[in-house]
Amino acid sequence: MSWLKSKYIKFTLSLIFSSIILYLLYRKISFQSFIELITLINLYYFSGFILLILIQLTIASFRWKTILESLTKTRISIFRASQLVIGSYSANLIIPAKMGEFVRVVWEKDKEKRKYVLRLVVFEKMLDVFSIYFIYALALSFVINSSSRILLYLGTVIAPLIALGIILMLLRNKTIFERLPSRIKDAMLLLKKLFSEQKLFFRNIVLVSLGLWIIQIGQFILIFLSLNVHPGFIEAYAGNSLAVLAGAFIPSIGGIGPRDAAIVWFFEGLANNVLLTAIGLLSALRIIIPAFMGLPFFFNLTRKS
């Protein structure tokens, strides 16, 4: 009961936080303005956006299948992997910080295997965070053209890297390492084992993850283009990577709210606020479309678990 109560509190707080940010962003923008913009969407670019979502789901399913088969020696069909991956996207609508993937642990019928599936999900999330952050840091380093960008680079790239270096040095101390939460400690041990024993697999899965996030951030660019907003290619990857990180780490429902605010702030001056807030709103379709596609899988797997 305490676990359910904790989850309920986190969901409620995330819902409130998302609502506050959305209210602050959209309070001065008329609904009619949004309707007019929606009618002007370039369907050519928007169709490309939908296509990239389908490609994303295919690659994400392939990645989960590869992780399971390589690390557990368990055979799984691409259809079953797709059910698990797309079904867990539905959970992102109700679980804060895009942690819906952890529902795969509950769907594992073998209770003995659940702990290992939990490690793999944490490992997958670590791959995602690394990939997004790598793309963000690399892209941002090419578009530092103002004092605010310098401060952003120092605060979100240099400072975290220094902090990470200090943390890794501290974790070499066994006493400190043993105090880590078990799921993080297990994932780090798995990461160390993969890096030392399965370098080829580790390299390939990192490359697949980078490719997956290049495609996902590319979805944002197509949303921009569908509303006739043309950001620079590298700048688009920097700003939209920041938006994804904001949506993932700031308490919210499916990243809605923080992601919108990051887009409006980073691309200020590229277009008016109505356009930028519309782009932020449409970017939620990246979460909503897979979530609705996954509902049949979500309910079916939950019923059987």
Side-chain angles (χ1 to χ4, degrees):
M1 288 297 293
S2 60
W3 179 84
L4 287 174
K5 186 177 180 181
S6 174
K7 292 293 181 184
Y8 177 77
I9 291 172
K10 288 179 181 178
F11 172 76
T12 303
L13 290 175
S14 297
L15 181 61
I16 292 171
F17 199 71
S18 284
S19 300
I20 291 172
I21 295 177
L22 288 175
Y23 169 74
L24 293 174
L25 284 174
Y26 298 110
R27 59 180 175 155
K28 294 182 179 180
I29 298 172
S30 69
F31 181 72
Q32 185 62 33
S33 299
F34 277 112
I35 298 300
E36 290 174 0
L37 282 174
I38 297 302
T39 59
L40 296 175
I41 284 180
N42 184 311
L43 294 179
Y44 174 77
Y45 288 118
F46 194 75
S47 299
F49 164 70
I50 299 297
L51 178 61
L52 284 189
I53 288 179
L54 298 177
I55 294 172
Q56 164 206 334
L57 296 178
T58 302
I59 295 176
S61 300
F62 170 77
R63 182 179 67 168
W64 183 244
K65 170 180 165 66
T66 302
I67 289 174
L68 276 178
E69 291 187 345
S70 299
L71 301 183
T72 66
K73 308 303 179 184
T74 302
R75 300 294 298 175
I76 179 174
S77 69
I78 188 65
F79 179 69
R80 174 65 177 175
S82 298
Q83 286 183 308
L84 293 167
V85 169
I86 302 173
S88 65
Y89 274 69
S90 301
N92 279 326
L93 291 178
I94 57 174
I95 299 178
K98 293 192 69 180
M99 291 296 177
E101 287 85 350
F102 284 96
V103 76
R104 296 177 204 164
V105 180
V106 180
W107 290 339
E108 174 54 57
K109 294 181 181 179
D110 189 336
K111 292 184 178 180
E112 295 298 320
K113 291 182 179 179
R114 284 185 178 179
K115 186 176 181 180
Y116 205 79
V117 172
L118 176 61
R119 293 183 194 175
L120 298 184
V121 173
V122 173
F123 172 61
E124 186 184 58
K125 298 300 289 184
M126 291 171 72
L127 285 172
D128 287 338
V129 172
F130 167 78
S131 299
I132 302 166
Y133 195 75
F134 179 83
I135 293 168
Y136 167 67
L138 183 63
L140 185 62
S141 65
F142 287 99
V143 292
I144 302 175
N145 51 18
S146 66
S147 57
S148 62
R149 293 280 175 87
I150 293 173
L151 291 175
L152 181 65
Y153 191 77
L154 291 174
T156 61
V157 178
I158 301 301
L161 287 176
I162 292 173
L164 178 62
I166 293 172
I167 290 170
L168 290 176
M169 288 179 64
L170 291 174
L171 290 179
R172 296 181 68 178
N173 184 304
K174 290 185 178 180
T175 304
I176 296 175
F177 183 78
E178 290 300 323
R179 292 179 180 176
L180 288 174
S182 59
R183 65 178 63 177
I184 295 178
K185 184 168 61 178
D186 289 344
M188 291 186 69
L189 289 172
L190 176 62
L191 195 64
K192 183 179 179 181
K193 181 180 179 181
L194 288 177
F195 191 72
S196 60
E197 298 179 9
Q198 299 188 47
K199 291 184 179 180
L200 181 61
F201 165 79
F202 186 79
R203 183 197 67 189
N204 290 342
I205 208 67
V206 167
L207 290 175
V208 169
S209 297
L210 284 169
L212 176 62
W213 278 101
I214 287 172
I215 289 170
Q216 290 195 67
I217 297 168
Q219 293 166 3
F220 284 92
I221 297 176
L222 288 174
I223 292 175
F224 273 79
L225 295 176
S226 70
L227 289 175
N228 200 32
V229 179
H230 299 267
F233 183 77
I234 297 177
E235 186 171 27
Y237 267 90
N240 290 311
S241 298
L242 177 64
V244 172
L245 290 169
F249 286 105
I250 299 175
S252 59
I253 301 301
I256 297 171
R259 182 179 55 242
D260 305 59
I263 288 172
V264 171
W265 176 79
F266 190 91
F267 294 103
E268 183 181 13
L270 179 65
N272 61 55
N273 278 356
V274 176
L275 267 173
L276 292 176
T277 49
I279 288 168
L281 189 65
L282 286 174
S283 71
L285 292 175
R286 295 178 49 258
I287 307 298
I288 294 171
I289 290 175
F292 276 95
M293 288 175 62
L295 282 176
F297 300 143
F298 176 82
F299 288 121
N300 184 50
L301 290 166
T302 302
R303 180 176 57 84
K304 291 182 178 179
S305 61

